[in-house]
Amino acid sequence: MTHIKLATWNINSVRLRMPLLKKLCDEHNLDVVCLQETKVQDSEFPLEDIKALGFDHVVFRGEKSYNGVAILSRLPLSNVAKQDMANVSESRHISACLPDGTEIHNLYIPAGGDEPDIQVNPKFKFKLECLDYLTDWFGANKIPSDKVIAVGDFNIAPYEHDVWSHKQLLKVVSHTPIEVEKLLRFKESISWVDLARHFVPETEKLYSWWSYRNRDWRKSNRGRRLDHIWATSTITERFGQHQILNDVRDWERPSDHVPVIVSYQLHK
DNA sequence: ATGGTCGGTTGCCGA
């Protein structure tokens, strides 16, 4: 296998959405799937159901009701690590290596609550701390020549056309200047390439999340691009077939996030 | 300007 297909998806409860996960894998022939918000503790993780989809190599870390990350793979995984983000013991970061040495980090950055003010909102403060932590962590651990991919729900839409209305969202958590600045600082830490914007011009609207609170998500189209695939610049040319699977938002009992997928040419 | 909807240790909290 020289090319693999990789997906990231905030599934918002892996147990509830097993039928959707099966449909997704059937239709897109995915080799590696990174999930966030699995919302299940490890002892209850549906490992057998996922193995039945053809993923023989599965690593996960979750909590009852909250958070939770998992990597499902048809290829063997090595060097599995479960990091604490900003030294808080929540299931937000898991990583593993593919057989060619490519390191995949699956991240679930906190949403950050409603009020973008660290004085009154500890969840927003924690979100900013996580961004600083990731900047330091990757900066200290990596060099630009490494083969590294970071995917996940970053809960930040950094660019003007990553949200339905730049002006109306400037004070809304996920698009405030302080978060964007910190995310872009993280992005510069080891010169990550934002693959969606590598393939799609920054002037084109691109979303991966639509709130449940809109009656008709497609009609109102008040979306945000919260889910990302980043790669170190040395491997950028190995990627192709980038897609944001908007149609999944219309499946039966959908997540509010849709999967983002990309193909990747493994090293020989 | 407001409230709208999901999922799950469900009559609240986080998203």
Side-chain angles (χ1 to χ4, degrees), chain A residues 157 162-163 169 172-174 206-209 222-226:
Chain A
D162 292 340
V163 293
L169 284 164
V172 175
V173 171
S174 72
L206 217 48
Y207 314 137
S208 65
W209 174 89
R222 295 185 166 190
R224 305 177 201 171
R225 187 170 71 98
L226 304 179

Side-chain angles (χ1 to χ4, degrees), chain A residues 136-176:
Chain A
D136 293 345
W137 195 87
F138 280 95
N141 284 286
K142 299 296 155 195
I143 53 168
S145 61
D146 275 350
K147 308 186 280 272
V148 192
I149 302 172
V151 309
D153 177 5
F154 294 1
N155 268 311
I156 297 171
Y159 305 121
E160 178 174 346
H161 297 292
D162 292 340
V163 293
W164 64 277
S165 169
H166 172 63
K167 199 178 167 192
Q168 284 177 261
L169 284 164
L170 276 170
K171 290 180 178 171
V172 175
V173 171
S174 72
H175 194 62
T176 66

Side-chain angles (χ1 to χ4, degrees), chain A residues 2 5 12 14 31 41 71 86 104 111 123 141 148 150 160 172 191 202 204 228 233 237 241 253 263 268:
Chain A
T2 57
K5 272 179 100 174
N12 188 13
V14 67
D31 299 291
Q41 59 188 330
I71 304 175
I104 298 181
K123 284 186 281 200
N141 284 286
V148 192
E160 178 174 346
V172 175
S191 300
E202 231 179 274
E204 190 172 316
H228 301 268
S233 55
E237 59 287 346
Q241 295 182 264
R253 294 195 82 181
S263 70
K268 292 210 168 80

